[in-house]
Amino acid sequence: MKRWTSFGSLVAAALVITACSGNDASEPTSSPQTGSGGQGTAAGGSTGTGGAAGGTAPGGAGTGGVVNLPPGELVCGGVQCHGGGHCSADGSCPPFLSDCFASTDGLDTCDAYCRDRGYLCAEKGCGMDGTALSGGFTWTSYTPDHQATCTTSPASDHAGQSACGGVLWLTLSTDEVVRCCCKQ
């Protein structure tokens, strides 16, 4: 049996053992993952590849960066998120734009609408396309001519940064439909 005689050889052996341990890189995780390869020195002093390629989270690329997942596929802190994108810095689910609703639904504020659905209002937390955005919008609205595209178009007719408790129908026409920025 050959003995490991150089420090580089020991490092290469440790990388191989680590790569072969039970951490399956295809398992979904709640944090973004990046991938990278490694190099080590093989026994006898020749250079070869060692280590294992980094894993890729579902829906992402192994080139680095943050993985954005579609709505319904994101899990943050062990919670299945309603919205998509990526987990917030604190590990929680990101804000998302709600379904469309009208004044006839009897919910006059985004706070009331989100609470009615089991969520919290995310003041200024969403972009026009429904993705999480710090300094974004609390609500978006669609006039009667564009109500058919309320959940499919990122271009709304109006958007507001008002407080979650602001009465929507004081600002908007009662014939508009609204989407509120909510969070879990």
Side-chain angles (χ1 to χ4, degrees), residues 59-181:
T63 58
V66 176
V67 177
N68 286 314
L69 295 174
E73 292 185 20
L74 182 64
V75 176
C76 299
V79 175
Q80 181 76 39
C81 300
H82 181 79
H86 58 275
C87 299
S88 300
D90 66 0
S92 65
C93 293
F96 60 92
L97 282 176
S98 70
D99 293 330
C100 305
F101 71 101
S103 63
T104 55
D105 293 321
L107 301 164
D108 292 335
T109 67
C110 282
D111 190 42
Y113 179 85
C114 293
R115 250 185 314 154
D116 186 66
R117 301 300 188 265
Y119 303 117
L120 300 171
C121 178
E123 189 172 312
K124 300 178 188 175
C126 291
M128 293 288 280
D129 62 353
T131 58
L133 176 67
S134 179
F137 301 100
T138 306
W139 55 264
T140 62
S141 71
Y142 299 78
T143 59
D145 294 340
H146 301 120
Q147 288 179 8
T149 63
C150 181
T151 58
T152 59
S153 172
S156 65
D157 294 308
H158 303 106
Q161 294 183 316
S162 59
C164 289
V167 178
L168 296 164
W169 315 119
L170 294 178
T171 306
L172 302 170
S173 167
T174 56
D175 61 353
E176 290 187 55
V177 293
V178 174
R179 297 177 77 187
C180 289
C181 186

